[in-house]
Amino acid sequence: MSFLTLDLNLLRVFDAVMTEQNLTRAAGHLAMTQPAVSNAIKRLRESLGDELLIRTAYGVKPTPRAESLWPSVRSALASLEAAVAPETFDVSAAHATFRMAMADATAAFWLPALMRSIENEAPGVNVRMVPLTTREPRPMLLRGDIDLAVGFFPGVAAQLSYETGSPIRHERLYSGHYVCVMRRDHPLSKVDLTLDNYCAANHLLVSFSGRAHGLVDEALAQIQRERRILLTVNQFFTAGRVVANSDLITVLPRHLIASTGMTDALISKELPFQLPAVHLDMLWHERDARSPAHKWLRRHLEGMNSVAQRTAPGSAPRSDTY
C-alpha cells in the first residue's frame, strides 16, 4: 500500500466506525448510508491488508491493527479539524439539550448550581436527567442514550486507565471518604463505634441492583467479619428517611448526608475499619469529545468541583457512591 494512493476519506469513515463501534450509528454520524460505510471499510481493509473490524452481535470489534492505528488517525483528524474549522462557541446563544445520568444524591448535590449557571449563562441549554441504575454506564453511552454520566464507577475507571482504543473518555472530579450514618438518638450515637457493635447492628445498604453486598461487606470479609443487611434501597433520599426513623445504620460518603434531606436528624461517625476512597468520575463518549457545547458542559462541571469542595459539609472534598 502506498500512502500517496490512499483515499484519506476512508480514514474519516474508519474513525467514525471506531468511535461508534457500530456501522449504522457511524453512517448516521457521517450522513452516509450503511452500505457506503461498509464499502469504505472494505476498501480500507484492502489498502491496509487487515480485517480492521470484525462484526459481532453488539456491533463491530476492532482488530489489534485497528486499535493501534486509531489513536494516530484520531489525533491527525483532530489537528486538521482544528486547523480548518477553528472553534467558535457562544454559550449565551447556544441551543442544546444534554442527557445526563446521575444517582439521586449526586443530582441533588450538583444540579442546583448547574441550573443557576445555565439560567444565567446559557438560557438555550436544556438538561434531561436519566436514572442511573448501574455502576456500568458505558452501554448507555455507546447506545447514545446519554451524553454524560457522573458517579462512582470504580471498575470502569480502573479499566479505562489502562485500556487503549476505548471510545469512552473519563475524568475524575473529586474524591472523598465514607462514614457511618445513624439517627441522632441511636444507641450507638452515645458510645464509641467499635467493630463489634458495628457488626452487631442492623444495616441498610443503598444498592441499585438490590444485591445485598457492597464495598463494606468486601472489607469486612477481609478481616473475617460480616454484618446483617436488613434492608436495601435504591435511593439515598429513602436511605436517609429510613435511618432517621429506625435503628438501622448505613454507610455513605459524608457529603451525601445533606442530599438525604435529613441532616438535622442524622449524625455520622468514623468507621472502625478501612474502606477505599470514593471517587466521583465523569464519563462521556468520544463522539462528543470535540463538540463545543459538550466541552462547555464538561468544563463547567470541572469548575463546579471547587464549588462542591467549598460547600460540602465537613472539611474535606467528598464524593458519591451507590
Side-chain angles (χ1 to χ4, degrees):
M1 186 274 293
S2 170
F3 182 76
L4 294 177
T5 61
L6 178 65
D7 183 350
L8 297 183
N9 284 320
L10 302 181
L11 297 180
R12 291 184 59 250
V13 177
F14 170 72
D15 175 58
V17 175
M18 287 292 290
T19 297
E20 299 292 346
Q21 303 283 294
N22 182 281
L23 295 179
T24 301
R25 290 197 297 266
H29 177 75
L30 294 166
M32 297 171 62
T33 64
Q34 183 173 331
V37 170
S38 297
N39 183 60
I41 293 299
K42 178 183 177 182
R43 290 171 56 200
L44 188 60
R45 283 171 173 154
E46 294 170 350
S47 296
L48 298 181
D50 188 271
E51 280 297 302
L52 295 177
L53 298 158
I54 302 170
R55 288 183 181 272
T56 71
Y58 303 100
V60 291
K61 178 183 178 180
T63 65
R65 170 66 168 146
E67 290 183 343
S68 66
L69 179 64
W70 189 36
S72 297
V73 172
R74 176 103 290 270
S75 176
L77 291 175
S79 297
L80 286 171
E81 182 178 21
V84 302
E87 178 181 310
T88 57
F89 180 64
D90 180 3
V91 66
S92 65
H95 291 273
T97 296
F98 297 113
R99 294 159 299 169
M100 302 170 64
M102 301 182 193
D104 67 306
T106 309
F109 187 67
W110 286 82
L111 288 184
L114 178 61
M115 292 305 101
R116 286 194 298 270
S117 296
I118 287 177
E119 288 180 326
N120 294 331
E121 303 172 25
V125 169
N126 303 309
V127 174
R128 303 290 180 257
M129 296 304 301
V130 175
L132 182 62
T133 59
T134 175
R135 289 187 183 180
E136 176 51 284
R138 284 180 291 184
M140 300 170 72
L141 290 163
L142 290 170
R143 291 192 304 266
D145 295 340
I146 58 174
D147 303 303
L148 194 74
V150 179
F152 178 50
F153 313 119
V156 175
Q159 185 176 355
L160 291 176
S161 65
Y162 64 81
E163 185 180 77
T164 60
S166 172
I168 304 301
R169 300 291 175 259
H170 75 113
E171 180 177 338
R172 180 146 296 162
L173 292 177
Y174 63 82
S175 301
H177 71 282
Y178 294 96
V179 292
C180 180
V181 179
M182 63 191 72
R183 61 183 174 87
R184 286 192 173 274
D185 55 350
H186 191 285
L188 293 181
S189 68
K190 303 173 179 63
V191 299
D192 292 337
L193 185 62
T194 66
L195 185 58
D196 285 338
N197 58 29
Y198 175 86
C199 292
N202 288 325
H203 294 258
L204 176 150
L205 172 65
V206 180
S207 168
F208 284 173
S209 67
R211 181 170 176 259
H213 188 87
L215 291 174
V216 169
D217 304 285
E218 294 174 6
L220 289 175
Q222 291 179 5
I223 55 176
Q224 289 76 54
R225 300 299 295 264
E226 61 182 10
R227 60 177 180 165
R228 180 198 176 193
I229 298 175
L230 191 154
L231 174 68
T232 66
V233 299
N234 59 10
Q235 290 185 330
F236 292 96
F237 178 80
T238 303
R241 291 282 174 173
V242 172
V243 170
N245 292 281
S246 72
D247 279 342
L248 273 66
I249 64 175
T250 192
V251 171
L252 297 176
R254 188 188 297 271
H255 92 277
L256 292 190
I257 298 173
S259 300
T260 68
M262 300 297 293
T263 306
D264 293 341
L266 300 172
I267 66 166
S268 65
K269 285 178 170 278
E270 295 298 320
L271 290 164
F273 53 90
Q274 293 295 317
L275 280 183
V278 55
H279 306 293
L280 188 72
D281 289 310
M282 175 170 59
L283 304 181
W284 65 95
H285 196 284
E286 171 68 24
R287 74 170 73 90
D288 295 315
R290 290 174 291 170
S291 163
H294 203 280
K295 284 183 180 179
W296 174 85
L297 177 64
R298 299 197 307 270
R299 289 169 183 163
H300 198 79
L301 290 173
E302 293 166 4
M304 287 173 59
N305 178 30
S306 59
V307 176
Q309 293 184 16
R310 292 196 303 270
T311 58
S315 58
R318 300 167 184 102
S319 183
D320 142 3
T321 184
Y322 42 80

